[in-house]
Amino acid sequence: MAENEAAGQSRPSKILLEELYANEDDQFLDQLVQFDSYEFLKHFSRKWIDDPRPWARQQLIHYLRSKLNYPGHEVVLKRTFKTALDNADDALLVHFMVALDGLVRRQRSTMHMYDFRLRQYSQREYLLAKSNKTVREQTGRFHEYTYAGRKFRVPLPDVRNRSSNRLFSQKTRAYLRRRVWRYFRFMAYRDPQRYVTAITTALQNYDDSFFDSGEAILDNWSLMHACFFHAPEIAFTVSHTNIVRGQSLATLKAAPYLPQVWEGDANAKNLWDLLGSAKSQFVRIWTIDMLQSQHADWLANVSIDDLIQLLSSGSATVGEFAVQLFRQHQSLSKVDVPTWLRLLEEADFSVLPIICEVMQKNIDPVRLSDDQLVELTLARPASIARLGLAWLRTRHQQHPLSTPQLRRLASAECRWEAEVIADWAIEQLSQPERYAAEHLAEFFDSKQDPVRHAACRWLAGDAVNAEMPRPQHDPHLWLKLIETPYDAVRFSLLDLLGRFLDASPGEMDKTLSPDQYLRVLSAVVLCVNRGSRSKPKAIQQLASLAIRDPSQANVVVPVLAVAARSIREPEKAAGLSGLATIVDRHPQLAVSIGEVISEWGWDDAGAVDAGTTSPEASS
């Protein structure tokens, strides 16, 4: 049989690799993994590990963190590993420990057996380490043979290196893991502090992909020895970690190798730092268990600054653990205000409600200034804004806040509390002794929908009574709201003006000019990108304006024509009704209306003589 590689297959360039390596180019690893020559990789790996440059060292670490499924690279890993052992290179061997733990991944399999005595089948689940050694890819293979004096060539399937393949056989991987753990195990006896430092550094490099299943947890052979060597649920063999029959991972607790080496305040600080820097949930849970079981006294005296650092770690598990310590801390009442504010700013979002609860119990609001309370109320998290508003109301009862401080509440950022905050601020600003239209206008122009919603609800108020002046009836406020870009504010103003006009038509002319009132009504009607129940009301008021003052018809009629052509039936009906009413009250306008909406025949002589106009009949 002859197996040949496809002719013309491109090969990596040694010159390019040497150039990238000399120039410290980050594309170096992409080029290196394409080589599979034993002799070349043997000499290059020796040169690589002896290179004193920090860049070369960092590239080696990146290489160990990769998938390690490159054909022919066994020599690279073996030579660098042996050199690291000879040099007692703890920093590099830490990464070897993590990398070798990731090489073995067993899979669950089911075995069916038949018991001849009981004459029945049984089923048993076990873990199988399948052979997945890397192979060199071969394409264009064929088998050549001779038959009856003739040569024949039969194509063979291509050989592909699967992404799940890894370097070395299963037996070699087991040996390498035993060898690296032996190094750290001896270190635990000779230099315990150095051992703790090395193991905590290694645990920082395990991410969640190492623990994505129960069998993956067991396959981290070195980690299981370091962290659960004395656990009753675990049994070790020379190659694998297994669960003792009748036990479960659910009850697994921290039981490290040589527990006495983890004692002392210095090691407690190492575990504390590991808790904040760990990349996997499994390691965080083990670290919390170690701190609670072996360093309870040290935890009781941890500093507030350390707690703040842990509360801002971004992990829910770590945050809950830190909050538990925070609640039980003995010196909370002595914490100064800047530290509390920094805690609120840096803590993880998920633990803010509990921090605010503890803060409310242990701090007197008198220690905070008015501006600090306003800043708390303007915060984006709901728990902080709620706490700030409660304290701000109490402070306002003790001595009234200034108008500029109340106006700042228009920029409240919490969507869940902004409406309540705005309700309270508007209520205070609308008091006669401090009312000003420009102050309330800021709430109508707020970028937050809840704030504008609160302002619109206040504008609607109770029943309109022109004889009783109210802040909502201030013409200066109306003038500031006429040019609003927000539809909700415009519709609320329209509703108020409509009710005010119905209650006292003569008062409208004293407060708003026809041009100003017309701009509001036209803006509502011409908002064609959305429907609204306020549009028919605006159309009716436009028609009433033209009926009361025919000189406004040249502006009103084009707007009503847009409404009459609408595809929305309520707007269309209101527009036609308004035009017909104008023609009925002022027949002389029929010609001008017919020029604007000629398809309806408003200038028909019969319709004018009759004094009424029926668009449906004319059509």
Side-chain angles (χ1 to χ4, degrees), residues 318-336:
V318 176
E320 292 175 3
F321 174 67
V323 165
Q324 180 183 355
L325 298 177
F326 187 72
R327 279 177 165 173
Q328 302 171 356
H329 204 278
Q330 301 174 357
S331 59
L332 288 178
S333 59
K334 301 178 182 178
V335 179
D336 56 1

Side-chain angles (χ1 to χ4, degrees), residues 101-118:
D101 270 357
L103 286 181
V104 177
R105 283 297 176 265
R106 291 176 290 178
Q107 298 178 359
R108 295 189 184 186
S109 299
T110 303
M111 177 182 295
H112 299 275
M113 297 179 295
Y114 183 75
D115 191 328
F116 291 94
R117 294 177 298 174
L118 300 178

Side-chain angles (χ1 to χ4, degrees), residues 246-448:
Q247 299 291 339
S248 171
L249 288 176
T251 60
L252 191 63
K253 296 294 183 181
Y257 185 77
L258 289 185
Q260 61 272 19
V261 305
W262 293 91
E263 298 175 355
D265 292 347
N267 292 329
K269 188 62 171 68
N270 285 336
L271 290 171
W272 184 267
D273 295 338
L274 172 62
L275 189 57
S277 59
K279 300 177 182 178
S280 64
Q281 179 74 352
F282 187 82
V283 172
R284 295 189 196 105
I285 294 175
W286 178 85
T287 307
I288 292 174
D289 196 8
M290 286 286 293
L291 286 170
Q292 290 177 333
S293 61
Q294 297 200 13
H295 302 284
D297 295 337
W298 185 87
L299 288 177
N301 300 313
V302 67
S303 66
I304 293 295
D305 289 337
D306 288 337
L307 279 176
I308 292 177
Q309 182 180 3
L310 206 61
L311 286 168
S312 58
S313 64
S315 169
T317 302
V318 176
E320 292 175 3
F321 174 67
V323 165
Q324 180 183 355
L325 298 177
F326 187 72
R327 279 177 165 173
Q328 302 171 356
H329 204 278
Q330 301 174 357
S331 59
L332 288 178
S333 59
K334 301 178 182 178
V335 179
D336 56 1
V337 171
T339 302
W340 281 108
L341 297 180
R342 182 162 62 93
L343 178 61
L344 292 177
E345 182 179 354
E346 298 179 2
D348 189 64
F349 186 83
S350 61
V351 300
L352 282 178
I354 303 176
I355 295 177
C356 290
E357 176 188 344
V358 177
M359 186 176 178
Q360 191 171 14
K361 294 179 180 179
N362 292 275
I363 187 173
D364 188 350
V366 178
R367 299 167 58 186
L368 282 79
S369 65
D370 294 349
D371 290 335
Q372 287 175 330
L373 293 180
V374 172
E375 289 294 336
L376 291 180
T377 309
L378 296 179
R380 186 182 297 273
S383 54
I384 301 178
R386 192 180 302 115
L387 176 64
L389 180 60
W391 283 349
L392 200 63
R393 284 178 168 176
T394 304
R395 178 66 55 84
H396 188 68
Q397 292 175 357
Q398 296 171 352
H399 66 84
L401 299 174
S402 65
T403 298
Q405 290 172 337
L406 291 173
R407 290 172 60 183
R408 290 179 59 192
L409 298 180
S411 58
E413 297 185 8
C414 178
R415 297 186 61 85
W416 294 270
E417 299 294 329
E419 190 168 345
V420 179
I421 296 171
D423 283 337
W424 180 78
I426 292 173
E427 179 184 356
Q428 307 307 317
L429 289 173
S430 61
Q431 299 300 320
E433 62 273 11
R434 68 169 76 213
Y435 170 77
E438 57 270 14
H439 299 165
L440 291 176
E442 296 182 11
F443 291 84
F444 291 93
D445 294 335
S446 174
K447 296 180 180 180
Q448 297 292 336

Side-chain angles (χ1 to χ4, degrees), residues 49 57 60-61 64 80 84 89-97:
I49 197 170
R57 176 80 163 198
L60 183 56
I61 293 174
L64 294 176
T80 52
D89 192 341
D90 296 351
L92 192 57
L93 288 171
V94 158
H95 293 282
F96 270 102
M97 171 180 167

Side-chain angles (χ1 to χ4, degrees), residues 34-95:
Q34 300 179 30
F35 287 85
D36 58 7
S37 170
Y38 174 83
E39 290 296 330
F40 173 76
L41 291 175
K42 179 180 67 173
H43 293 90
F44 188 85
S45 59
R46 183 183 304 163
K47 171 185 175 182
W48 189 9
I49 197 170
D50 292 336
D51 194 328
R53 292 180 298 171
W55 175 84
R57 176 80 163 198
Q58 192 61 36
Q59 291 298 309
L60 183 56
I61 293 174
H62 287 330
Y63 178 81
L64 294 176
R65 290 178 178 176
S66 63
K67 294 182 179 181
L68 299 180
N69 65 338
Y70 317 120
H73 277 241
E74 288 85 355
V75 62
V76 178
L77 207 65
K78 277 189 174 181
R79 282 192 169 272
T80 52
F81 180 53
K82 187 177 184 304
T83 305
L85 288 174
D86 294 340
N87 297 336
D89 192 341
D90 296 351
L92 192 57
L93 288 171
V94 158
H95 293 282

